[in-house]
Amino acid sequence: MIPPRATICVFAPSEGAASRFSEALAPFFGLRWTSAADEISHDDDLILVAGWRKDDGAACRAARAQTSIPIILITYDATSRAVVEGLQAGADVVVPADIQPSELQARIRAMIRRNRMPSSADGFRILRLSDSTS
């Protein structure tokens, strides 16, 4: 069985802001573009926050307020301080804008794979005394 194609919501101020990544990702993932946080869908497998530059943290907080699905923040400021701020703003992973497309693809696949794995609690069924037939 072929797994469903993962959908990535690219949360960017414009399609041009992350066009470098769209060329590398489009053959492997379904891409959906939005510049408004309230258009982020719970059906997306991952959110890629890109191209906001000075507003990386605000964009990431807006995305996180909409959903709990994984967020990758692509930042133009790759300093340690910017990474910490991105993580505190709600990103699961912060990567520099000069990341190689193959590395970004691998990170996305890993995050989606982890997110799709059932949790250990999914394997348990709660049995109440009222469910028994004795």
Side-chain angles (χ1 to χ4, degrees):
M1 185 167 117
I2 299 172
R5 187 173 180 177
T7 302
I8 299 172
C9 176
V10 182
F11 183 41
S14 68
E15 286 190 32
S19 61
R20 173 176 171 258
F21 303 108
S22 65
E23 292 175 14
L25 300 177
F28 307 102
F29 306 101
L31 300 180
R32 195 175 63 74
W33 295 84
T34 185
S35 60
D38 61 351
E39 293 177 2
I40 292 172
S41 169
H42 296 288
D43 294 330
D44 296 320
D45 292 292
L46 184 128
I47 300 170
L48 190 64
V49 176
W52 295 91
R53 296 192 187 264
K54 297 270 183 204
D55 296 328
D56 284 348
C60 200
R61 278 188 294 281
R64 180 52 69 214
Q66 293 298 316
T67 186
S68 63
I69 62 175
I71 296 175
I72 294 179
L73 172 63
I74 298 176
T75 183
Y76 290 91
D77 179 2
T79 63
S80 180
R81 187 179 124 265
V83 170
V84 169
E85 288 174 0
L87 293 170
Q88 289 175 336
D92 295 290
V93 173
V94 180
V95 298
D98 62 353
I99 188 172
Q100 292 298 311
S102 59
E103 181 183 343
L104 182 59
Q105 290 169 9
R107 287 179 179 274
I108 289 170
R109 284 189 183 102
M111 290 184 73
I112 291 172
R113 182 177 56 246
R114 282 192 306 270
N115 197 47
R116 286 184 176 175
M117 290 178 68
S119 71
S120 60
D122 292 342
F124 295 99
R125 180 171 171 246
I126 297 174
L127 180 66
R128 295 183 311 253
L129 287 173
S130 62
D131 290 341
S132 68
T133 58
S134 51

